[in-house]
C-alpha cells in the first residue's frame, strides 16, 4: 500500500490499480508495528527543517514491526562521487540548452519528480538566483522566514543544501492535439504559458547526514548506508 501528500498522484496510482491513499508523512494513519517493510523514496528531502526530517524517519520506524526494515532514499549534495557523475548530471548532455519540448495536448499533470536516476523530462530554469549568497560545502544555514533560497539550474551540481528546484507542468487541454509537439525557446512567453513552472523546496543531504539522523534514534539500527546515482540511501532495522 502506498501513500502520498498529493491527491492527483494517488489518483494516478488508483488508475493503475495500485492501493494508495493521501496522508501526511509525519502522521501516517496506520497502526504502529503493522508493517514488515517501509520504503521512502524522494520524500524526506522535501521537509524544510532537521526536526521534521528526523520526525519523518521516526514515523517510518513507528510503522515497522520489530525486525522490520525500511529503505530511505534522499537527494545527495554530491552529484559527482568518487570521480563519477550521477545520471542526473549526465542527462544534461542529451538535452537542448535553449529549447524545450512541450506536449500541448495532454491534460495538466506534473512531470515526473526531478530525482537523480529518473527518466524525467529535462527542464529549463532561470539563470538568476533569488539570492546571490551561496552556502559553502555542507554548512548550510537553516531555512528561516527571512531567508531567500537560490533557484537550482537543472542538471547541474548543487551550490546550496537548501534550494528551490523548478518543476514544469505539461500544458494544454485539447485532446485532439494529443500527439502534437512543438519546440519553443525555454524563456519565451509562449513556453511559460504552455508550461507553468513551480518551485519545489529541497534539502539535499551531504555524505553521512542521513545516516547520522537515523543513528540518533534508539529504536532502529542502520543495516546499510550507501550512495546510488546521486542519492544517499539507508536501510534500517526496527529494534
Amino acid at each position: 500500500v502506498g501513500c502520498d501528500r498529493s491527491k492527483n498522484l494517488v489518483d494516478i496510482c488508483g488508475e493503475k490499480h495500485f492501493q494508495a491513499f493521501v496522508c501526511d508523512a509525519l502522521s501516517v494513519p496506520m497502526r504502529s508495528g503493522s508493517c514488515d517493510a517501509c520504503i521512502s523514496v524522494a520524500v524526506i528531502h522535501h521537509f524544510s527543517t532537521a526536526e521534521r526530517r528526523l520526525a519523518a524517519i521516526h514515523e517510518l520506524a513507528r510503522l515497522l514491526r520489530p525486525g522490520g526494515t525500511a529503505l530511505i532514499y534522499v537527494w545527495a549534495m554530491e552529484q559527482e562521487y568518487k570521480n563519477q557523475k550521477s545520471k542526473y548530471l549526465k542527462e544534461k548532455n542529451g538535452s537542448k540548452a535553449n529549447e524545450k519540448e512541450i506536449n500541448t495536448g495532454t491534460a495538466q499533470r506534473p512531470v515526473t519528480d526531478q530525482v537523480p536516476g529518473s527518466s524525467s523530462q529535462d527542464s529549463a530554469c532561470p539563470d538568476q538566483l533569488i539570492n546571490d549568497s551561496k552556502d559553502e560545502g555542507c554548512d548550510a544555514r537553516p531555512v528561516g522566514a527571512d531567508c531567500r533560497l537560490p533557484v537550482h539550474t537543472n542538471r547541474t551540481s548543487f551550490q546550496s543544501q537548501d534550494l528551490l528546484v523548478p518543476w514544469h507542468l505539461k500544458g494544454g487541454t485539447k485532446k485532439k492535439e494529443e500527439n502534437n509537439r512543438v519546440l519553443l525557446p525555454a524563456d519565451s512567453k509562449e513556453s511559460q504559458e504552455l508550461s507553468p513552472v513551480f518551485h519545489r523546496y529541497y534539502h539535499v543531504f551531504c555524505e553521512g547526514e542521513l545516516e547520522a539522523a537515523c543513528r540518533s534514534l534508539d529504536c532502529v539500527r542502520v543495516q546499510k548506508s550507501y550512495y546510488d546515482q546521486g542519492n544517499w540511501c539507508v536501510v534500517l532495522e526496527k529494534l
Side-chain angles (χ1 to χ4, degrees), residues 1-236:
V1 62
C3 59
D4 199 281
R5 189 66 180 84
S6 166
K7 180 182 181 299
N8 288 343
L9 292 180
V10 169
D11 287 344
I12 293 172
C13 290
E15 292 168 7
K16 296 178 181 292
H17 307 293
F18 296 126
Q19 296 185 69
F21 60 91
V22 176
C23 80
D24 184 338
L26 298 182
S27 182
V28 179
M30 293 179 67
R31 178 170 50 84
S32 297
S34 60
C35 299
D36 294 313
C38 293
I39 298 173
S40 174
V41 175
V43 174
I44 294 176
H45 56 216
H46 288 299
F47 288 108
S48 61
T49 67
E51 291 78 11
R52 287 180 179 178
R53 294 189 286 270
L54 185 60
I57 298 171
H58 190 273
E59 183 68 352
L60 283 175
R62 181 188 68 79
L63 296 172
L64 292 172
R65 63 165 176 78
T69 56
L71 172 65
I72 302 172
Y73 264 60
V74 294
W75 216 347
M77 178 82 172
E78 300 85 355
Q79 289 298 303
E80 188 165 347
Y81 187 68
K82 294 183 178 179
N83 297 320
Q84 293 290 323
K85 289 185 177 180
S86 68
K87 184 178 179 182
Y88 175 72
L89 293 184
K90 289 179 181 177
E91 284 181 354
K92 183 179 181 181
N93 297 329
S95 64
K96 293 187 177 182
N98 296 319
E99 290 184 330
K100 184 180 186 306
E101 193 176 54
I102 301 171
N103 188 330
T104 61
T106 58
Q108 272 199 0
R109 272 198 182 167
V111 177
T112 44
D113 203 351
Q114 301 277 356
V115 178
S118 75
S119 58
S120 62
Q121 175 183 3
D122 195 11
S123 56
C125 73
D127 294 328
Q128 77 276 12
L129 297 180
I130 290 179
N131 191 339
D132 291 332
S133 64
K134 294 180 180 180
D135 298 316
E136 297 296 333
C138 293
D139 298 323
R141 292 174 291 111
V143 180
D146 59 344
C147 178
R148 309 195 86 185
L149 297 173
V151 175
H152 175 62
T153 299
N154 284 320
R155 312 299 171 186
T156 65
S157 297
F158 295 116
Q159 303 301 316
S160 171
Q161 273 195 279
D162 297 288
L163 42 81
L164 300 175
V165 176
W167 198 43
H168 291 253
L169 297 186
K170 291 182 179 180
T173 56
K174 295 182 180 178
K175 277 216 168 222
K176 64 182 180 181
E177 297 177 358
E178 186 166 350
N179 296 320
N180 292 345
R181 303 179 80 84
V182 296
L183 283 175
L184 296 171
D187 57 353
S188 70
K189 181 179 179 182
E190 292 84 357
S191 173
Q192 294 298 322
E193 289 176 352
L194 288 172
S195 182
V197 180
F198 295 89
H199 293 98
R200 310 177 73 196
Y201 171 82
Y202 282 79
H203 171 85
V204 290
F205 283 68
C206 285
E207 183 173 7
E209 183 179 354
L210 176 61
E211 184 176 354
C214 294
R215 291 190 186 280
S216 71
L217 300 176
D218 58 9
C219 57
V220 297
R221 177 176 68 88
V222 175
Q223 283 188 340
K224 187 178 181 182
S225 178
Y226 60 98
Y227 179 89
D228 180 25
Q229 283 295 337
N231 299 278
W232 286 115
C233 320
V234 165
V235 178
L236 301 176

